[in-house]
Amino acid sequence: MSAHCQLTGAKPGFGNAISHSHRRTSRRFDPNIQHKRYWLPGGGRTVRLTLSARAIRTVDSIGIEAAVARIRARGGKV
């Protein structure tokens, strides 16, 4: 699963895991990505989006039509 949000563009951050002895190894901080299906009234169909948990709350507040418009404005395909 790609750790990339279609609405906000959130993607993994990279850093170091630091052990008790202070040795550093690479690690990645993944966003909380979920697959979510929404009914798109304008298109008369359902769309399956890959969203972060924060983006799901954004869709709840602005509506699916506005969220799809934002995704398309970013150059995403829905």
Side-chain angles (χ1 to χ4, degrees), residues 1-12 31-38 47-57 59 64 67-68 71 74 76-78:
M1 168 174 28
S2 172
H4 183 267
C5 176
Q6 289 179 292
L7 182 61
T8 62
K11 54 189 174 187
N32 186 5
I33 296 294
Q34 309 292 325
H35 292 295
K36 188 105 164 106
R37 285 177 52 198
Y38 289 99
V47 290
R48 188 165 185 245
L49 300 176
T50 304
L51 301 172
S52 62
R54 188 179 81 193
I56 291 172
R57 291 197 306 270
V59 171
I64 186 62
V68 168
I71 292 170
R74 292 184 74 236
K77 186 177 173 186
V78 177

Side-chain angles (χ1 to χ4, degrees), residues 16-62:
N16 290 313
I18 303 178
S19 70
H20 180 69
S21 64
H22 228 62
R23 290 176 61 101
R24 291 174 168 90
T25 55
S26 290
R27 63 159 295 179
R28 55 188 264 168
F29 297 90
D30 286 328
N32 186 5
I33 296 294
Q34 309 292 325
H35 292 295
K36 188 105 164 106
R37 285 177 52 198
Y38 289 99
W39 174 252
L40 192 60
R45 63 187 178 104
T46 59
V47 290
R48 188 165 185 245
L49 300 176
T50 304
L51 301 172
S52 62
R54 188 179 81 193
I56 291 172
R57 291 197 306 270
T58 302
V59 171
D60 290 343
S61 68
I62 67 172

